[in-house]
Amino acid sequence: MDGLYLDYLTLLENLQKSLEQLTELAKQKTDAVRSDDLVALDDILKQEQVISLSVRGYDQKRLQLLQQLGLEAVTLSNLPQHYPESLRRQAKDRVEALRREYRIYCSAAEVARNTLECNLHEVEKFLAQASGDAPVGPGYVHPEVEPPSSMKTDFRA
């Protein structure tokens, strides 16, 4: 049974590492937006998508392990109390590290989001000034403006 508990701690460690990667990507995203590097931003978004898919896999495994351990109703903060005494300290440390990394990620993601929103507002203002009669708003693309070839995708439903 201790094996399942250790497996869950390994899962939390992997999740923490994914959050560290997402935090670094959020910082890179902020830098890319500030330097108007759309190609780098596109690459970062692709990397984020890959990590997000792995986090989804972790969530499925988490649910499975919690069910096997009989801890489905236990919150993350209360998890160490439900661990065997020999693993309780390790569980407490892992939960604290994960929660700390999540807070750091949320802060970095918020900065990236705000930076991106500010730059998008600047683009909208520029478009409004450049063509006074053209409608502006989220998602507006002027018909004469072509995105760079590296930013184009071919979506066919």
Side-chain angles (χ1 to χ4, degrees):
M1 187 68 143
D2 277 0
L4 288 175
Y5 286 104
L6 289 172
D7 288 347
Y8 193 77
L9 291 180
T10 300
L11 176 91
L12 294 180
E13 181 179 5
N14 291 337
L15 183 57
Q16 178 188 352
K17 288 177 183 176
S18 292
L19 285 173
E20 288 172 1
Q21 291 173 326
L22 287 170
T23 300
E24 182 58 34
L25 288 174
K27 291 175 184 176
Q28 291 175 17
K29 188 189 310 180
T30 301
D31 292 340
V33 169
R34 286 181 178 154
S35 63
D36 297 324
D37 190 348
L38 293 177
V39 175
L41 182 61
D42 185 50
D43 183 52
I44 292 165
L45 293 174
K46 288 176 185 175
Q47 291 177 54
E48 278 184 334
Q49 190 174 27
V50 169
I51 295 171
S52 295
L53 289 174
S54 71
V55 169
R56 228 186 246 165
Y58 293 145
D59 192 45
Q60 291 173 353
K61 175 108 173 154
R62 179 188 65 83
L63 293 172
Q64 183 182 32
L65 283 170
L66 285 175
Q67 185 179 28
Q68 291 172 345
L69 291 168
L71 300 175
E72 300 99 321
V74 176
T75 63
L76 184 63
S77 57
N78 290 329
L79 185 71
Q81 298 166 359
H82 296 276
Y83 257 60
E85 187 66 39
S86 61
L87 297 173
R88 201 167 285 169
R89 183 70 186 150
Q90 191 177 354
K92 184 176 187 280
D93 292 344
R94 180 61 50 217
V95 166
E96 287 174 1
L98 179 62
R99 293 178 65 154
R100 183 176 43 255
E101 191 59 45
Y102 179 73
R103 285 190 300 273
I104 293 169
Y105 165 69
C106 287
S107 295
E110 180 74 12
V111 169
R113 185 179 65 79
N114 288 337
T115 304
L116 187 57
E117 285 178 359
C118 287
N119 277 21
L120 287 174
H121 290 301
E122 290 298 316
V123 168
E124 287 175 354
K125 268 200 266 182
F126 174 78
L127 289 174
Q129 291 172 353
S131 57
D133 60 342
V136 290
Y140 170 74
V141 177
H142 194 279
E144 299 168 11
V145 176
E146 282 287 319
S149 61
S150 62
M151 295 297 294
K152 292 182 184 179
T153 55
D154 185 15
F155 288 106
R156 295 181 188 182

